Amino acid sequence: MDLGLDGKVAMVAAASSGLGLATAEELANEGCHLSICGRDPVRLEGAVDRLRSKGAEVLARATDVTDCADATAWVAETAEHFRCIDILVTNCGGVSAGPPSAMTPKDFDDAFDRVILPSINLVTAALPYLRRSRAGRILMIASEAIVRTPVHFALSGVARAGLVPYCHTLVQELSGKSITVNVLAPGAHSTAIHEANRTGDHAEAIRALEDRTPARRLGDPSEFAAVAAFLASARAAYVSGALIVIDGGLSATV
């Protein structure tokens, strides 16, 4: 299936590893030019090598997306280099785990700064360029915790949930502009951190999670990336304002 992504310029935040890198790889497979960022320059360079091995043109910048000025500078550098931006994938790291009673108001405030403001800031910075695209796409990577919040993921569930009404208001504001906005809510996938936990103190928790998941396994990052690439494509031009849960059916068992 031709997704119509050849030659599109895609920005993928936090793409030096995990689901961000998997998404960047899938977009590279579809012919996108890529701008990626990450905090660790060494891991970022490794990601660049992987993406260039697929024939992609890649711009990379060591960036902390929780620093609004730093993230805005990444958007400006991307626009200057490629002269356009067609796809924006917002993404960031996680927040501390623990039940709500263990968290202070400051913890929730910090979580908001870490997982909501980066997306809002990146979208705000990129919108002038996305408006010029014939088919702009905004994808915000959140977490399954916004629809199924285990007790120890209070910060993640509460803070990330704000992405959904933000998405809905953007869809209304951008009516008629050929820009789609969607939120992806991934469950556990076999990224490096989860694979490391298989032999560590959390091995039993990983096995229990797989047993509770109807798919009876963690997701493969490439499966998540395939959904993201479709939503970024011309084929998904009528999909906007959606919350897409990618968790092997786990949220359906709640």
Side-chain angles (χ1 to χ4, degrees):
M1 179 187 296
D2 181 8
L3 294 181
L5 288 170
D6 191 42
K8 298 291 186 181
V9 174
M11 296 185 67
V12 185
S16 60
S17 62
L19 297 182
L21 177 56
T23 299
E25 287 188 288
E26 188 67 19
L27 292 172
N29 289 338
E30 294 294 332
C32 285
H33 304 311
L34 289 162
S35 176
I36 65 171
C37 76
R39 288 179 296 181
D40 186 330
V42 175
R43 288 200 303 180
L44 190 61
E45 188 57 39
V48 169
D49 290 342
R50 287 176 61 168
L51 295 170
R52 286 180 176 161
S53 72
K54 299 177 179 296
E57 180 181 353
V58 184
L59 173 70
R61 186 180 190 275
T63 303
D64 180 356
V65 295
T66 65
D67 181 325
C68 287
D70 198 19
T72 298
W74 172 47
V75 174
E77 185 175 328
T78 300
E80 181 178 2
H81 181 84
F82 288 109
R83 302 301 177 189
C84 67
I85 298 171
D86 299 296
I87 300 159
L88 173 66
V89 182
T90 72
N91 187 27
C92 61
V95 292
S96 299
S101 61
M103 302 301 168
T104 67
K106 178 65 163 57
D107 292 325
F108 282 96
D109 189 45
D110 289 344
F112 183 89
D113 287 346
R114 290 185 60 83
V115 301
I116 291 289
L117 287 185
S119 287
I120 294 173
N121 180 59
L122 286 170
V123 170
T124 301
L127 261 180
Y129 308 103
L130 291 165
R131 288 178 185 273
R132 299 171 197 164
S133 173
R134 292 183 178 180
R137 299 287 185 267
I138 298 171
L139 302 177
M140 294 180 281
I141 300 178
S143 167
E144 179 211 20
I146 67 178
V147 293
R148 186 193 68 88
T149 312
V151 64
H152 281 82
F153 289 90
L155 289 182
S156 181
V158 171
R160 295 182 195 272
L163 287 176
V164 177
Y166 178 60
C167 167
H168 291 170
T169 54
L170 277 174
V171 170
Q172 295 171 67
E173 181 182 4
L174 298 172
S175 176
K177 302 298 183 183
S178 299
I179 300 175
T180 66
V181 189
N182 293 289
V183 177
L184 298 176
H189 285 69
S190 297
T191 56
I193 188 169
H194 280 105
E195 289 306 305
N197 284 336
R198 286 187 184 280
T199 56
D201 296 337
H202 301 288
E204 185 175 340
I206 294 293
R207 288 194 295 271
L209 177 60
E210 290 178 322
D211 288 342
R212 292 197 308 273
T213 302
R216 293 294 187 268
R217 62 179 176 85
L218 301 188
D220 189 281
S222 66
E223 295 172 316
F224 172 88
V227 177
F230 173 75
L231 290 173
S233 75
R235 297 277 185 164
Y238 204 59
V239 182
S240 193
L243 170 62
I244 312 294
V245 182
I246 307 168
D247 68 349
L250 182 60
S251 59
T253 67
V254 176

